[in-house]
Amino acid sequence: MSYLDGEIVKDFKKLNIKFNIAPQAEHDLIVKIINEAVPFSGSQIAWSSFNNNTYIGLSSSQAALATLEHKIKAATQCNITFIGDSTDRAYSIKVSNLLQSLQIFSRIPQHTYILQRQLNWIACISLEGDIDFAELPPES
């Protein structure tokens, strides 16, 4: 577990957020699914390649985090997965803990990808502090 993973776990416990850590095999599968389904430009998602994408704002803005929470809640009722490019773990939380979890991950220096298992949408809090959200087209 990386130092950042330790900080995330500590924050979850401090806020009494129930979470699950995916086994390594599931983590690797999630990364593979993202890489196969989501276009990248360098180290970032190519947001302009999606028909339905939204730039939400800066991760330092509580209003932007609240907007992202609203978009995610409108798109799912399932558990939410957070996976980052500088952390070793994938975290699953309940939708009811979404805003607090977004606040935790907005402070982690990495690209944090937020998704649900069905991967019909994806959001990202980038290392640079940008928040984006896109609906993925259905698989054909």
Side-chain angles (χ1 to χ4, degrees):
M1 182 175 346
S2 75
Y3 169 78
L4 293 174
D5 287 298
E7 291 297 306
I8 292 165
V9 168
K10 186 170 70 174
D11 287 343
F12 278 154
K13 288 180 177 179
K14 185 171 125 183
L15 295 170
N16 293 318
I17 295 173
K18 293 185 194 270
F19 64 97
N20 291 315
I21 297 176
Q24 188 62 45
E26 187 176 340
H27 174 278
D28 295 345
L29 179 61
I30 293 167
V31 170
K32 181 181 179 202
I33 290 169
I34 291 170
N35 286 329
E36 290 175 354
V38 178
F40 280 80
S41 176
S43 66
Q44 295 195 30
I45 292 175
W47 297 105
S48 61
S49 66
F50 295 103
N51 290 332
N52 195 356
N53 69 75
T54 306
Y55 172 73
I56 295 177
L58 296 175
S59 62
S60 59
S61 163
Q62 289 303 306
L65 292 173
T67 299
L68 178 58
E69 175 198 32
H70 177 74
K71 288 194 81 58
I72 290 172
K73 283 184 172 181
T76 189
Q77 297 299 314
C78 303
N79 286 351
I80 307 299
T81 299
F82 289 83
I83 192 164
D85 61 4
S86 294
T87 51
D88 298 331
R89 307 285 192 234
Y91 301 89
S92 177
I93 57 103
K94 292 184 179 188
V95 173
S96 59
N97 295 315
L98 182 56
L99 184 58
Q100 288 179 305
S101 299
L102 290 170
Q103 291 166 338
I104 291 169
F105 281 95
S106 71
R107 296 186 301 264
I108 302 294
Q110 68 175 353
H111 289 89
T112 299
Y113 303 101
I114 307 147
L115 55 134
Q116 65 181 2
R117 190 133 176 96
Q118 299 88 339
L119 196 62
N120 57 353
W121 59 265
I122 190 165
C124 180
I125 301 173
S126 75
L127 174 65
E128 298 79 14
D130 295 315
I131 301 174
D132 291 277
F133 177 92
E135 293 179 20
L136 278 69
E139 292 185 52
S140 21

